[in-house]
Amino acid sequence: MGCSGRSCPVHQSFVVSGSNKSLPATPKLRGAFWSALEQADPDVVAVNGWNNFGSLVAANCCLHRGIPMVVMSESSRQDEPRTRWKEAIKRRIVGLYSAALVGGQRHVEYLAEFPRMRRPK
């Protein structure tokens, strides 16, 4: 891919406000994200994390539209005590993403623990 010797495509980004941990996944938020996806028609979407309503709404919309997602994460095994049931849910959510963008080696190692998120070679 690259654009040496020719024009590079323009990439747009959209921010859907109000997508934080305290806001439930309302139809209004889903509609706003769906509209942003229709307008941008992206090849891929970067989603910030997996543990808040906004991220789950984004993932849901992308899945329904068939758009691959890249999860951005700074989670690591050392962040907090881990529980089996939470890790089981996380494993299913993380498995929806095509790739990951993480902050450092310990974050790579944590995501490599999930079956579908493998360490790059």
Side-chain angles (χ1 to χ4, degrees):
M1 229 161 150
C3 1
S4 59
R6 60 181 173 34
S7 298
C8 291
V10 174
H11 301 281
Q12 295 178 324
S13 62
F14 290 84
V15 175
V16 178
S17 64
S19 54
N20 61 40
K21 290 182 181 183
S22 62
L23 182 70
T26 63
K28 184 177 178 181
L29 178 60
R30 188 176 191 283
F33 196 81
W34 192 269
S35 294
L37 289 177
E38 285 181 342
Q39 185 178 356
D41 192 24
D43 294 326
V44 66
V45 171
V47 178
N48 185 23
W50 52 68
N51 68 341
N52 64 64
F53 292 115
S55 297
L56 296 175
V57 166
N60 181 271
C61 290
C62 289
L63 287 170
H64 279 72
R65 292 184 57 92
I67 301 169
M69 298 173 290
V70 175
V71 65
M72 297 181 292
S73 172
E74 288 192 344
S75 292
S76 70
R77 169 112 350 244
Q78 298 81 17
D79 291 343
E80 62 184 72
R82 303 292 173 180
T83 58
R84 286 185 124 169
W85 68 270
K86 285 183 182 179
E87 294 298 288
I89 293 169
K90 189 183 301 179
R91 180 172 273 100
R92 296 207 44 169
I93 294 170
V94 171
L96 301 173
Y97 294 93
S98 301
L101 175 63
V102 297
Q105 186 60 37
R106 67 181 189 185
H107 311 115
V108 169
E109 291 167 0
Y110 180 56
L111 282 181
E113 294 177 20
F114 297 98
R116 294 174 69 175
M117 298 299 288
R118 306 233 186 265
R119 184 185 313 232
K121 294 184 179 189

